Amino acid sequence: MESSKLSPQDIENQLKQLNIEYILHNHEACMNIADLQQHTKLNHAPLIKNIFSEDKKGQCFLISARHDTIIERAFYKKLGTSYSNCRMAKPEVLQAVLGVAPGSVTPFGLANDTEKKVKAFALDENLLKEEWLSFHPLVNTQTIEIKREDFVKWLASIDRKPEVLNLSEKEEVAAKPEKKEAAPKEKKAAEEDKDDTKLKIMHKKNERFSDWYTDVIVKGDLIEYYDVSGCYILRPWAYGIWESIQSFFDAEIKKLGVENAYFPIFVSQKALNKEKAHVEGFSAEVAWVTKYSDTDLAEPVAIRPTSETIMYNAYSKWISSHRDLPLKLNQWTNVVRWEFSSPTPFIRTREFLWQEGHTAHATEKEADEQTYAILELYRRVYEEVLAVPVIKGVKTESEKFAGGHYTTTVEAYIQENGRAVQSATSHNLGENFAKMFNIQYLDEKNEKKWVWQTSWGLTTRSIGIMIMVHGDDQGLVLPPRIAKVQAVIIPVIFKDSEKGKLDAKAKELEEELAKAGVRVKIDDRTNYSPGWKYNHWELKGVPLRIELGPKDLEKGEVRLVKRFDGSKSQLKQENLGKQVAEILEQIQAAMLAKATEKRNVRLREAHDWESFMKHLNEGCIVLTPWCFDEEEEKKVKLRSKEEAGQLSASESHLTGAAKTLCIPLEQEPIKEGEKCFFTGKPAKKRVLWGRSY
């Protein structure tokens, strides 16, 4: 007869008996890291992912690492098994060995493994650098924060010792030389096993989205992790995308009369506190500099979370007459917002790059026009440059920019995790900041007036959104307009005697493509096989691969492979530049069309609470008639959160509160007698709801 399993309270009792202090957090059921990021705010510890696997011999292995760690296959050999022999343990094995259900895997479950079926508990060596660790106490509705040394003490009390390993260490594998066969089939190289090249994405996008995303941005050479949590190195492949966004947007705002400038990164405490409502909106995220060397500063200075309070003191000096208006400035810079929730590269980080524009106008009408002109540019950045569909709208009062008159937004949607993303915002600040910073002008009648202001920003979050929308199980899929390399030419060489002719033709085609405006690169590295190169550039998302083999040379053709849909075709080398340029534009349009279709499938309407929650829990964004009552909006958030938390862990659903995303600018008018879906009061307009980052 199987002995009864321990409960969460039993784990707490064990810690108390050992005089171990801990912090217990209660929260909604969290099935994965994405849920934890949404619903938990830990005091000290990082989020930790725990993987429980079983090999073909029935041996079990428990692995714990920071949530953003890329776990390589090589370390499985150190555990006495291999990656190919392991699989995720079935629910019945989880229950029998650790005494937990799916979504609750935890080292605390080792206390239930009295028969020592877990052969090894692997702890990533980077966790030893953390003072605090965090684990579920057998259920995924609670998380315990515990000091590292106390966790090791608890492990010893149940006669367990972790195997501390570098889970990110890659196995040293020599690059494969090109095959030199007498008469092989030219295209067979593409079938080279990705597992051998170490280029394979290890997680499915629609199964383990958070792990998939981490895998893609690291293996796709976009991000390198840094030793300050929440800060990341943007590698050239990522920064090149940002430069493409910059190039488009900067040219467009200059057509609107906007000039670039630069303002300091520091803001005085006095200036930051001038606008109370504005400061309250950022107060929890403001980072302060309090010392230099060993000396305390006389007054702390903040690192800008945004620049209204930095720029507007200067505006008050520069503006005195209607002749000084409009004043339209933009800066490309970085900001720091010290997020307490677990960061996600590009999407939610402590430091990020952005542009922020700030304008001053004589009239409300001019400020309105500026606000919506920028909003339209943001739509174009996403739809025309990134091929990501967005919905333009206005934020509700409770969601608008702190201290502003109103906020407009473009909202994107990620189908695989059912979450919306605020993609860029353009604010009409009204006269609020002008009154705080004394920004006045004399009009034509020599009367003093307050200026009307706007502010607007677009960040590197746009890169993360693009990755999430377009990426697939093979890696990145880049829209042609932002790809640093739009086409890669790969000579397929089987004999040394062919190399000279193929290299010469590849160079000739490269020059023709470049003249046609195509960003092109030849991959003529001799230490990698053609198959390795195919997988490498596929992972990095290059829109087109152009293969050139001996038979192609004879026929005056090339083989063209589209990253977007994997389709292959033969093209004549004559006028290749023109052909490729046209194909790239076709791909750009097709990517937007596909993403829009996927988004629209999950854009639902609801006229009552039951259908609203049904669509919401299916991961949809939901359009409803609304009465615009702020107190009722709070009730929707609370009730949706509570009802989602009541669903069983076995049901497929998203957790968390619904929030208003925007009041879409394009919508059907409210019909006579149409009621609010929640209160039954007369509806005024339709509002888009969803769960968001």
Side-chain angles (χ1 to χ4, degrees):
M1 182 176 177
E2 186 178 324
S3 60
S4 60
K5 298 298 183 183
L6 299 178
S7 69
Q9 187 58 56
D10 293 327
I11 297 298
E12 288 192 66
N13 290 339
Q14 288 182 357
L15 297 178
K16 289 173 182 176
Q17 289 169 8
L18 294 168
N19 294 318
I20 291 176
E21 294 183 2
Y22 61 92
I23 303 169
L24 179 66
H25 300 272
N26 293 297
H27 48 72
E28 294 183 29
C30 296
M31 296 298 294
N32 48 46
I33 289 294
D35 286 347
L36 282 168
Q37 291 174 326
Q38 181 78 8
H39 303 306
T40 61
K41 290 190 180 295
L42 303 181
N43 295 12
H44 310 288
L47 291 181
I48 294 174
K49 60 182 174 184
N50 302 285
I51 300 171
F52 190 61
S53 57
E54 181 183 20
D55 69 9
K56 294 177 181 179
K57 297 178 181 178
Q59 300 178 119
C60 296
F61 303 89
L62 179 61
I63 301 164
S64 295
R66 277 183 61 100
H67 76 282
D68 50 11
T69 300
I70 297 293
I71 298 177
E72 294 292 338
R73 301 175 179 187
F75 89 93
Y76 277 89
K77 295 179 181 178
K78 299 176 183 178
L79 301 181
T81 186
S82 67
Y83 176 86
S84 60
N85 284 333
C86 288
R87 63 183 180 185
M88 302 298 287
K90 295 179 179 179
E92 53 266 31
V93 177
L94 274 175
Q95 185 61 46
V97 178
L98 297 183
V100 300
S104 303
V105 175
T106 171
F108 284 126
L110 293 170
N112 281 319
D113 182 26
T114 55
E115 297 180 17
K116 300 292 177 70
K117 292 183 179 179
V118 178
K119 181 183 178 183
F121 168 40
L123 193 68
D124 186 47
E125 65 180 15
N126 287 319
L127 287 181
L128 298 184
K129 301 174 185 177
E130 303 288 346
E131 184 180 357
W132 290 78
L133 304 177
S134 63
F135 304 106
H136 291 314
L138 306 181
V139 291
N140 63 0
T141 55
Q142 294 180 323
T143 298
I144 280 179
E145 287 189 84
I146 182 173
K147 286 191 174 180
R148 182 191 67 251
E149 59 265 30
D150 287 335
F151 174 65
V152 174
K153 179 180 177 182
W154 174 82
L155 283 174
S157 76
I158 62 167
D159 194 26
R160 287 283 189 174
K161 185 177 181 181
E163 294 193 38
V164 179
L165 301 170
N166 181 354
L167 304 187
S168 301
E169 185 177 11
K170 296 183 179 181
E171 186 176 15
E172 291 296 327
V173 178
K176 289 191 173 184
E178 289 191 42
K179 296 179 181 179
K180 298 181 180 179
E181 302 172 5
K185 293 182 179 179
E186 294 177 25
K187 314 308 178 187
K188 189 175 180 180
E191 304 303 321
E192 185 173 341
D193 186 359
K194 287 185 181 181
D195 289 356
D196 291 340
T197 67
K198 307 301 178 185
L199 295 172
K200 187 175 181 180
I201 299 300
M202 301 308 301
H203 306 285
K204 300 292 184 183
K205 186 179 183 183
N206 62 355
E207 293 176 1
R208 297 179 63 178
F209 183 82
S210 181
D211 291 329
W212 168 86
Y213 180 71
T214 300
D215 217 6
V216 167
I217 62 176
V218 173
K219 291 184 176 178
D221 293 337
L222 295 172
I223 286 290
E224 182 65 48
Y225 282 88
Y226 191 59
D227 61 1
V228 176
S229 178
C231 298
Y232 307 91
I233 299 168
L234 297 191
R235 300 184 66 178
W237 203 245
Y239 200 82
I241 296 172
W242 182 238
E243 286 179 318
S244 294
I245 295 169
Q246 279 184 305
S247 178
F248 173 85
F249 189 77
D250 198 64
E252 293 300 321
I253 60 174
K254 285 174 179 173
K255 294 176 185 178
L256 298 177
V258 178
E259 297 179 288
N260 285 322
Y262 181 79
F263 290 78
I265 193 172
F266 299 115
V267 53
S268 70
Q269 193 170 27
K270 180 181 178 182
L272 194 63
N273 288 331
K274 270 193 176 183
E275 218 298 317
K276 186 177 180 182
H278 177 67
V279 173
E280 288 176 350
F282 290 104
S283 59
E285 301 172 350
V286 175
W288 294 90
V289 178
T290 59
K291 299 174 76 76
Y292 71 93
S293 187
D294 295 326
T295 305
D296 291 333
L297 292 179
E299 179 184 320
V301 292
I303 301 174
R304 62 174 164 231
T306 181
S307 296
E308 281 80 2
T309 54
I310 298 174
M311 299 174 73
Y312 296 166
N313 277 323
Y315 278 35
S316 68
K317 298 175 183 177
W318 298 342
I319 297 171
S320 58
S321 166
H322 64 90
R323 297 181 184 86
D324 300 322
L325 298 173
L327 177 60
K328 300 181 180 183
L329 298 182
N330 175 72
Q331 63 173 348
W332 295 93
T333 186
N334 64 336
V335 291
V336 173
R337 296 180 185 173
W338 209 257
E339 298 271 4
F340 285 97
S341 57
S342 294
T344 301
F346 295 118
I347 298 296
R348 188 175 292 280
T349 61
R350 286 176 172 156
E351 180 192 16
F352 55 86
L353 303 179
W354 76 342
Q355 61 72 214
E356 56 174 322
H358 297 267
T359 66
H361 305 268
T363 67
E364 179 179 5
K365 180 176 180 293
E366 290 177 8
D368 284 338
E369 291 172 350
Q370 181 73 34
T371 301
Y372 283 99
I374 295 298
L375 184 69
E376 172 59 13
L377 285 184
Y378 287 152
R379 180 202 66 78
R380 291 182 61 196
V381 167
Y382 276 94
E383 296 192 347
E384 296 180 16
V385 181
L386 298 172
V388 171
V390 291
I391 296 172
K392 292 198 300 183
V394 179
K395 290 288 188 181
T396 60
E397 281 296 303
S398 61
E399 294 290 336
K400 74 177 184 181
F401 183 66
H405 182 42
Y406 65 81
T407 291
T408 66
T409 180
V410 287
E411 299 284 329
Y413 169 74
I414 313 301
Q415 184 187 41
E416 284 76 11
N417 68 359
R419 299 202 180 273
V421 194
Q422 179 180 289
S423 305
T425 50
S426 179
H427 316 286
N428 184 320
L429 302 179
E431 298 175 328
N432 298 339
F433 284 84
K435 291 174 181 177
M436 289 294 164
F437 290 89
N438 194 31
I439 309 175
Q440 297 183 78
Y441 71 97
L442 289 175
D443 67 9
E444 292 88 341
K445 297 178 182 179
N446 215 33
E447 294 178 356
K448 276 196 172 184
K449 297 285 182 66
W450 301 109
V451 299
W452 281 76
Q453 292 177 264
T454 76
S455 70
W456 24 277
L458 171 74
T459 79
T460 40
R461 170 179 282 195
S462 55
I463 300 175
I465 293 170
M466 180 273 298
I467 296 165
M468 290 179 170
V469 168
H470 296 306
D472 62 19
D473 291 343
Q474 284 69 52
L476 293 168
V477 181
L478 297 179
R481 290 181 185 170
I482 54 90
K484 189 173 182 180
V485 175
Q486 295 174 315
V488 59
I489 301 173
I490 300 179
V492 182
I493 302 169
F494 300 108
K495 299 177 182 178
D496 288 339
S497 59
E498 300 166 346
K499 188 176 186 306
K501 291 180 180 180
L502 286 170
D503 283 348
K505 176 55 71 172
K507 184 65 178 175
E508 180 185 321
L509 295 177
E510 178 191 36
E511 291 174 357
E512 181 181 346
L513 289 168
K515 287 178 182 178
V518 177
R519 295 187 289 277
V520 60
K521 178 181 179 67
I522 299 175
D523 189 345
D524 54 2
R525 291 174 289 178
T526 58
N527 58 326
Y528 291 112
S529 69
W532 190 98
K533 296 175 186 178
Y534 298 168
N535 293 329
H536 172 73
W537 294 109
E538 181 178 76
L539 174 61
K540 289 171 74 73
V542 171
L544 289 177
R545 183 172 79 237
I546 300 172
E547 302 170 14
L548 180 66
K551 290 184 180 179
D552 298 315
L553 200 60
E554 291 175 10
K555 296 177 181 179
E557 296 179 346
V558 296
R559 192 185 203 199
L560 193 78
V561 183
K562 296 179 184 176
R563 176 65 180 90
F564 163 60
D565 60 9
S567 63
K568 302 170 184 178
S569 59
Q570 293 292 123
L571 292 183
K572 291 294 183 182
Q573 294 173 11
E574 187 178 358
N575 294 322
L576 185 64
K578 181 181 179 182
Q579 295 180 76
V580 167
E582 291 174 353
I583 290 170
L584 289 170
E585 284 303 299
Q586 292 166 8
I587 292 172
Q588 183 82 24
M591 289 183 70
L592 176 60
K594 180 181 177 181
T596 302
E597 182 180 358
K598 285 177 64 178
R599 192 273 313 274
N600 289 346
V601 168
R602 294 293 188 90
L603 176 57
R604 307 284 177 80
E605 289 193 35
H607 295 271
D608 57 68
W609 181 259
E610 184 179 355
S611 58
F612 173 75
M613 285 303 298
K614 178 180 181 294
H615 295 323
L616 195 68
N617 289 330
E618 290 172 348
C620 299
I621 47 178
V622 189
L623 193 64
T624 71
W626 182 239
C627 63
F628 288 86
D629 185 317
E630 285 190 60
E631 289 304 313
E632 297 298 334
E633 188 174 339
K634 293 176 185 176
K635 291 178 183 178
V636 172
K637 289 183 180 181
L638 182 61
R639 184 174 168 184
S640 61
K641 182 177 181 180
E642 289 175 346
E643 291 191 12
Q646 291 167 4
L647 295 175
S648 69
S650 63
E651 294 181 72
S652 178
H653 69 283
L654 283 175
T655 57
K659 62 180 286 188
T660 56
L661 305 175
C662 69
I663 308 158
L665 295 182
E666 295 183 8
Q667 59 173 272
E668 292 293 325
I670 292 294
K671 298 173 184 176
E672 185 176 352
E674 195 167 1
K675 304 295 185 183
C676 171
F677 86 105
F678 184 65
T679 66
K681 298 176 183 178
K684 297 178 180 178
K685 278 193 174 183
R686 303 185 196 283
V687 169
L688 188 65
W689 302 77
R691 292 188 172 103
S692 69
Y693 277 97

